[in-house]
Amino acid sequence: VRRGFGWAQPRIDRVLSSIEAQLCKNNGYQANTLLRFALIFLCFCNCFMLNSVIEPQAFASPLASPLNVWTASSMERIDLTGQPGSFTDISLYAARGEYEPFQLGIRASYEDLSSVNVFISDLIGPNNQLISNRNITLYREHYVYVNNPSPDLAGSNRPLGAGWYADGLIPFTDPLTGQDITGASLDAAPFHINAGNNQPVWVDIFVPHDTPAGQYSGTFTVTSDQGTSNGKIDLRVWNFELPIKPSLNSSFLFWNHANKSDMLELLKH
């Protein structure tokens, strides 16, 4: 109490001195009465100190960082102005030779975010085996405005109507050289997020064919001029491999297009 509530120290000292004096006189009744009073007084000081010192730290602290980051599966749609998720870690599962994606949702909570960028570490597994971050590709999801949405035929998966949808994937680096893309009309990173908006980042993890099975872990880091956020990535690599060459025969057809020129164009791809 004396350390956290200095103004009470003189009163506390006077009360304790009175108790000592009464005990020296062997006046047990008065001493016990004063002792009870002192305990009540100290409890009052302690409660007042808790309300005055601890609560302001909990409720009057500075605003949290405007950078809000969460993880989402590849099957979720992150709306431009939707509410953020609540998970900062993600658990994934993949076979050798498989691509396993997930998304990072980044929100500018109450002010703009500038110079936003994303970094993924290597994934470390059994016996310090690793999946290098060279096998991890990042894309900034580009929002496009849909004027004419799909027709609403009812059912369980109804269209959401006109609005902004994350659609295009802009790579952080050149897929051929692995170098940062510069001078493009749509540059992936670093990027800017307006206050109240979300920006998803698509993360593709490729598991090399020679990767030992087991549990692999790494981290992601989102940086900005307004703050930094981190999270954990857990990847379970199953003990089997996807074949490089498909074993099923495939057939590609143009609907209502059976002329020779269409077929030749298809064969080019």
Side-chain angles (χ1 to χ4, degrees):
V1 172
R2 288 175 180 176
R3 287 194 301 269
F5 208 54
W7 66 265
Q9 181 176 347
R11 299 184 184 184
I12 295 170
D13 289 340
R14 287 198 296 271
V15 172
L16 295 178
S17 297
S18 298
I19 293 174
E20 284 182 343
Q22 292 298 327
L23 289 175
C24 289
K25 293 179 181 179
N26 294 320
N27 190 334
Y29 175 78
Q30 291 183 3
N32 288 336
T33 301
L34 283 172
L35 180 60
R36 287 194 293 269
F37 170 77
L39 290 175
I40 294 172
F41 179 78
L42 291 175
C43 288
F44 166 78
C45 291
N46 193 42
C47 292
F48 194 90
M49 179 191 70
L50 289 175
N51 290 333
S52 301
V53 177
I54 296 178
E55 288 187 3
Q57 292 177 354
F59 299 105
S61 60
L63 290 174
S65 169
L67 175 64
N68 191 336
V69 180
W70 71 97
T71 58
S73 77
S74 59
M75 301 300 292
E76 296 182 42
R77 179 189 291 114
I78 298 179
D79 296 332
L80 179 61
T81 57
Q83 291 300 309
S86 56
F87 298 103
T88 56
D89 301 339
I90 193 161
S91 296
L92 305 168
Y93 305 87
R96 295 191 294 270
E98 183 177 6
Y99 284 90
E100 184 61 27
F102 72 96
Q103 297 178 91
L104 290 174
I106 306 172
R107 180 177 179 82
S109 297
Y110 56 85
E111 67 177 69
D112 290 6
L113 296 176
S114 56
S115 300
V116 184
N117 216 329
V118 179
F119 304 92
I120 309 288
S121 72
D122 296 332
L123 305 182
I124 309 299
N127 301 317
N128 288 324
Q129 297 286 334
L130 65 83
I131 298 175
S132 170
N133 58 10
R134 292 191 300 270
N135 295 295
I136 301 175
T137 308
L138 302 176
Y139 303 87
R140 180 166 65 87
E141 301 181 30
H142 180 62
Y143 281 96
V144 296
Y145 190 82
V146 176
N147 288 300
N148 299 309
S150 301
D152 189 353
L153 304 178
S156 59
N157 187 23
R158 305 178 69 176
L160 298 179
W164 290 97
Y165 292 88
D167 184 68
L169 297 179
I170 309 171
F172 275 44
T173 58
D174 189 312
L176 297 179
T177 65
Q179 301 300 313
D180 184 30
I181 299 175
T182 59
S185 58
L186 292 176
D187 193 7
F191 52 88
H192 185 95
I193 307 177
N194 293 329
N197 285 358
N198 301 320
Q199 176 57 65
V201 171
W202 186 275
V203 184
D204 252 346
I205 301 177
F206 174 67
V207 181
H209 290 270
D210 59 352
T211 303
Q215 188 72 34
Y216 291 75
S217 296
T219 59
F220 66 81
T221 302
V222 179
T223 62
S224 73
D225 290 337
Q226 289 71 32
T228 300
S229 181
N230 303 282
K232 186 179 180 183
I233 304 169
D234 287 320
L235 172 65
R236 166 68 69 177
V237 177
W238 300 119
N239 192 24
F240 64 91
E241 181 179 356
L242 297 184
I244 297 177
K245 182 179 179 180
S247 58
L248 296 177
N249 293 324
S250 300
S251 177
F252 297 93
L253 298 175
F254 283 135
W255 184 256
N256 288 335
H257 289 270
N259 59 61
K260 183 178 179 180
S261 62
D262 288 343
M263 295 301 176
L264 290 175
E265 181 63 27
L266 180 61
L267 290 174
K268 293 178 183 180
H269 304 280

